[in-house]
Coordinates of all heavy atoms in Angstrom, one line a residue:
E1 N 67.7 15.1 154.2 CA 67.0 16.4 154.4 C 67.7 17.2 155.5 O 67.8 18.4 155.5 CB 65.5 16.2 154.6 CG 64.8 15.7 153.4 CD 63.3 15.3 153.7 OE1 63.0 14.9 154.8 OE2 62.5 15.4 152.8
R2 N 68.1 16.5 156.6 CA 68.8 17.2 157.7 C 70.1 17.8 157.1 O 70.4 19.0 157.5 CB 69.2 16.1 158.7 CG 68.1 15.7 159.7 CD 68.5 14.8 160.7 NE 67.5 14.4 161.7 CZ 67.2 15.1 162.8 NH1 67.9 16.2 163.1 NH2 66.2 14.7 163.5
V3 N 70.8 17.1 156.4 CA 72.1 17.6 155.8 C 71.8 18.7 154.9 O 72.5 19.8 154.9 CB 72.9 16.5 155.2 CG1 74.2 17.1 154.6 CG2 73.3 15.4 156.3
F4 N 70.8 18.6 154.0 CA 70.5 19.7 153.1 C 70.1 20.9 153.8 O 70.6 22.0 153.5 CB 69.3 19.3 152.2 CG 68.9 20.3 151.2 CD1 69.4 20.2 149.9 CD2 68.0 21.3 151.5 CE1 69.0 21.1 148.9 CE2 67.7 22.3 150.5 CZ 68.2 22.2 149.2
L5 N 69.2 20.8 154.9 CA 68.9 21.9 155.7 C 70.1 22.6 156.4 O 70.2 23.8 156.4 CB 67.8 21.5 156.7 CG 67.3 22.5 157.7 CD1 66.6 23.7 157.0 CD2 66.3 21.9 158.7
G6 N 70.9 21.7 156.9 CA 72.1 22.2 157.6 C 73.0 23.0 156.7 O 73.6 24.0 157.0
L7 N 73.2 22.4 155.5 CA 74.1 23.0 154.5 C 73.6 24.4 154.0 O 74.3 25.3 153.8 CB 74.3 22.1 153.3 CG 75.5 22.4 152.4 CD1 76.8 22.5 153.1 CD2 75.6 21.3 151.3
A8 N 72.3 24.4 153.8 CA 71.7 25.7 153.4 C 71.9 26.8 154.5 O 72.2 27.9 154.2 CB 70.2 25.5 153.1
L9 N 71.7 26.4 155.7 CA 71.9 27.3 156.8 C 73.4 27.7 157.0 O 73.7 28.8 157.4 CB 71.3 26.8 158.1 CG 69.8 26.7 158.1 CD1 69.3 25.8 159.3 CD2 69.1 28.0 158.1
L10 N 74.3 26.8 156.7 CA 75.7 27.1 156.8 C 76.0 28.2 155.7 O 76.7 29.1 156.0 CB 76.5 25.8 156.5 CG 78.0 25.9 156.6 CD1 78.6 24.7 157.2 CD2 78.6 26.2 155.2
H11 N 75.4 28.0 154.5 CA 75.7 29.0 153.4 C 75.0 30.3 153.7 O 75.3 31.3 153.1 CB 75.3 28.4 152.1 CG 76.3 27.5 151.5 ND1 77.6 28.0 151.1 CD2 76.3 26.2 151.2 CE1 78.3 27.0 150.6 NE2 77.5 25.9 150.7
R12 N 74.0 30.3 154.6 CA 73.4 31.6 155.0 C 74.4 32.5 155.6 O 74.3 33.7 155.6 CB 72.2 31.2 156.0 CG 71.8 32.4 156.9 CD 71.1 33.5 156.2 NE 70.6 34.5 157.1 CZ 71.3 35.6 157.5 NH1 72.6 35.7 157.1 NH2 70.8 36.5 158.3
Y13 N 75.4 31.9 156.3 CA 76.4 32.7 157.0 C 77.8 32.6 156.4 O 78.8 33.3 156.8 CB 76.5 32.3 158.4 CG 75.3 32.8 159.2 CD1 74.3 31.9 159.5 CD2 75.1 34.1 159.6 CE1 73.2 32.3 160.2 CE2 74.0 34.5 160.3 CZ 73.0 33.6 160.6 OH 71.9 34.0 161.3
R14 N 78.0 31.7 155.4 CA 79.4 31.4 154.9 C 79.3 31.1 153.4 O 78.5 30.2 153.0 CB 80.0 30.3 155.7 CG 81.3 29.8 155.3 CD 81.8 28.8 156.3 NE 83.0 28.1 155.8 CZ 83.9 27.6 156.6 NH1 83.7 27.6 157.9 NH2 85.0 27.0 156.1
N15 N 80.2 31.7 152.6 CA 80.2 31.4 151.2 C 80.6 30.0 150.9 O 80.0 29.3 150.0 CB 81.1 32.4 150.4 CG 80.3 33.7 150.0 OD1 79.1 33.6 149.7 ND2 80.9 34.8 150.1
K16 N 81.7 29.5 151.5 CA 82.3 28.2 151.2 C 82.0 27.2 152.3 O 82.0 27.5 153.4 CB 83.8 28.4 151.0 CG 84.2 29.3 149.8 CD 85.7 29.3 149.6 CE 86.1 30.2 148.4 NZ 87.5 30.2 148.2
R17 N 81.8 26.0 151.9 CA 81.5 24.9 152.8 C 82.8 24.1 153.1 O 82.7 23.3 154.1 CB 80.4 24.0 152.3 CG 80.6 23.4 151.0 CD 79.4 22.5 150.6 NE 79.5 22.1 149.2 CZ 79.0 22.7 148.2 NH1 78.3 23.9 148.4 NH2 79.0 22.2 146.9
E18 N 83.8 24.3 152.4 CA 85.0 23.5 152.6 C 85.7 24.0 153.9 O 85.5 25.2 154.3 CB 86.0 23.7 151.5 CG 85.5 23.0 150.2 CD 84.5 23.9 149.4 OE1 84.4 25.1 149.7 OE2 83.8 23.3 148.6
G19 N 86.4 23.1 154.5 CA 87.2 23.5 155.7 C 86.5 23.4 157.0 O 86.9 23.9 158.1
T20 N 85.3 22.8 157.0 CA 84.6 22.6 158.3 C 84.8 21.2 158.8 O 85.3 20.3 158.0 CB 83.0 22.8 158.1 OG1 82.5 21.7 157.4 CG2 82.8 24.1 157.3
R21 N 84.3 20.9 160.0 CA 84.5 19.6 160.5 C 83.3 18.6 160.1 O 83.2 17.5 160.5 CB 84.5 19.6 162.0 CG 83.4 20.3 162.7 CD 83.6 20.6 164.2 NE 82.6 21.4 164.8 CZ 81.5 21.0 165.4 NH1 81.3 19.7 165.5 NH2 80.6 21.8 165.9
F22 N 82.5 19.1 159.2 CA 81.3 18.4 158.8 C 81.4 17.8 157.4 O 80.4 17.3 156.8 CB 80.0 19.2 158.8 CG 79.8 19.9 160.2 CD1 79.8 21.3 160.3 CD2 79.6 19.1 161.3 CE1 79.6 21.9 161.5 CE2 79.3 19.7 162.5 CZ 79.4 21.1 162.6
E23 N 82.6 17.9 156.8 CA 82.7 17.5 155.3 C 82.3 16.1 155.0 O 81.8 15.8 153.9 CB 84.1 17.9 154.8 CG 84.3 19.4 154.8 CD 85.6 19.7 154.0 OE1 85.9 19.1 153.0 OE2 86.4 20.6 154.5
D24 N 82.5 15.2 156.0 CA 82.1 13.8 155.7 C 80.6 13.7 155.6 O 80.0 12.8 154.9 CB 82.6 12.9 156.8 CG 82.2 13.2 158.2 OD1 81.8 14.4 158.4 OD2 82.2 12.4 159.1
L25 N 79.8 14.6 156.3 CA 78.4 14.5 156.2 C 77.8 15.0 154.8 O 76.8 14.6 154.4 CB 77.7 15.4 157.3 CG 78.0 14.9 158.7 CD1 77.3 15.9 159.7 CD2 77.5 13.5 159.0
Y26 N 78.6 15.9 154.2 CA 78.1 16.4 152.9 C 77.9 15.2 151.9 O 77.1 15.4 151.0 CB 79.2 17.4 152.3 CG 79.5 18.6 153.1 CD1 80.7 19.3 152.9 CD2 78.7 19.0 154.2 CE1 81.0 20.4 153.6 CE2 79.1 20.1 154.9 CZ 80.2 20.8 154.6 OH 80.6 21.9 155.4
E27 N 78.7 14.2 152.1 CA 78.6 13.1 151.1 C 77.3 12.3 151.2 O 77.0 11.5 150.3 CB 79.8 12.1 151.4 CG 81.1 12.7 151.2 CD 81.2 13.6 149.9 OE1 80.9 13.0 148.8 OE2 81.6 14.8 150.0
I28 N 76.4 12.6 152.2 CA 75.1 12.0 152.2 C 74.2 12.6 151.0 O 73.3 12.0 150.6 CB 74.4 12.3 153.5 CG1 75.1 11.4 154.6 CG2 72.9 12.0 153.6 CD1 74.7 11.7 156.0
L29 N 74.6 13.8 150.5 CA 74.0 14.5 149.4 C 74.7 14.2 148.1 O 75.9 14.0 148.1 CB 73.9 16.0 149.7 CG 73.2 16.5 151.0 CD1 73.3 18.0 151.0 CD2 71.8 16.0 151.1
D30 N 74.0 14.3 147.0 CA 74.7 14.2 145.7 C 75.0 15.6 145.3 O 74.7 16.6 146.0 CB 73.8 13.5 144.6 CG 72.5 14.2 144.4 OD1 72.4 15.5 144.5 OD2 71.5 13.5 144.0
E31 N 75.8 15.8 144.2 CA 76.3 17.1 143.8 C 75.2 18.1 143.5 O 75.3 19.3 143.9 CB 77.2 16.9 142.6 CG 78.5 16.2 142.9 CD 79.3 16.9 144.1 OE1 79.4 18.2 144.0 OE2 79.8 16.2 144.9
R32 N 74.1 17.6 142.9 CA 73.0 18.5 142.6 C 72.4 19.1 143.9 O 72.0 20.3 144.0 CB 71.9 17.8 141.8 CG 70.7 18.7 141.4 CD 69.7 17.9 140.7 NE 69.2 16.7 141.5 CZ 68.3 16.8 142.4 NH1 67.8 17.9 142.8 NH2 68.0 15.7 143.1
E33 N 72.2 18.2 144.9 CA 71.6 18.6 146.2 C 72.5 19.6 146.9 O 72.0 20.6 147.5 CB 71.3 17.4 147.0 CG 70.2 16.5 146.5 CD 70.1 15.2 147.3 OE1 71.2 14.6 147.6 OE2 69.0 14.7 147.4
K34 N 73.8 19.4 146.9 CA 74.8 20.3 147.5 C 74.6 21.7 146.8 O 74.7 22.7 147.5 CB 76.2 19.8 147.3 CG 76.5 18.6 148.1 CD 77.9 18.1 147.8 CE 78.2 16.7 148.3 NZ 79.5 16.2 147.9
Q35 N 74.5 21.7 145.5 CA 74.4 23.0 144.8 C 73.1 23.7 145.1 O 73.1 24.9 145.3 CB 74.6 22.7 143.3 CG 74.9 24.0 142.5 CD 73.6 24.6 141.9 OE1 72.6 24.0 141.9 NE2 73.8 25.9 141.5
E36 N 72.0 22.9 145.2 CA 70.7 23.5 145.6 C 70.8 24.1 147.0 O 70.2 25.2 147.2 CB 69.6 22.5 145.5 CG 69.2 22.2 144.1 CD 68.0 21.2 144.1 OE1 67.5 20.9 145.2 OE2 67.6 20.8 143.0

């Protein structure tokens, strides 16, 4: 849930999530959760 919340807030200011220093954390979520 922390990563989901963080990713949603990241997309609040940025269209793409690639190219950040946090990409290893994204893997805590599955693909459906990333898309949501």
Side-chain angles (χ1 to χ4, degrees):
E1 291 172 332
R2 281 182 179 271
V3 176
F4 183 96
L5 178 60
L7 194 53
L9 292 169
L10 183 146
H11 280 295
R12 159 68 178 88
Y13 289 104
R14 176 174 170 158
N15 272 324
K16 296 182 178 180
R17 57 181 169 268
E18 293 78 18
T20 74
R21 56 192 171 92
F22 304 116
E23 292 191 42
D24 57 337
L25 296 179
Y26 303 162
E27 299 313 307
I28 291 175
L29 304 178
D30 61 32
E31 290 303 316
R32 180 185 57 82
E33 290 170 325
K34 293 176 195 175
Q35 197 266 342
E36 283 184 7

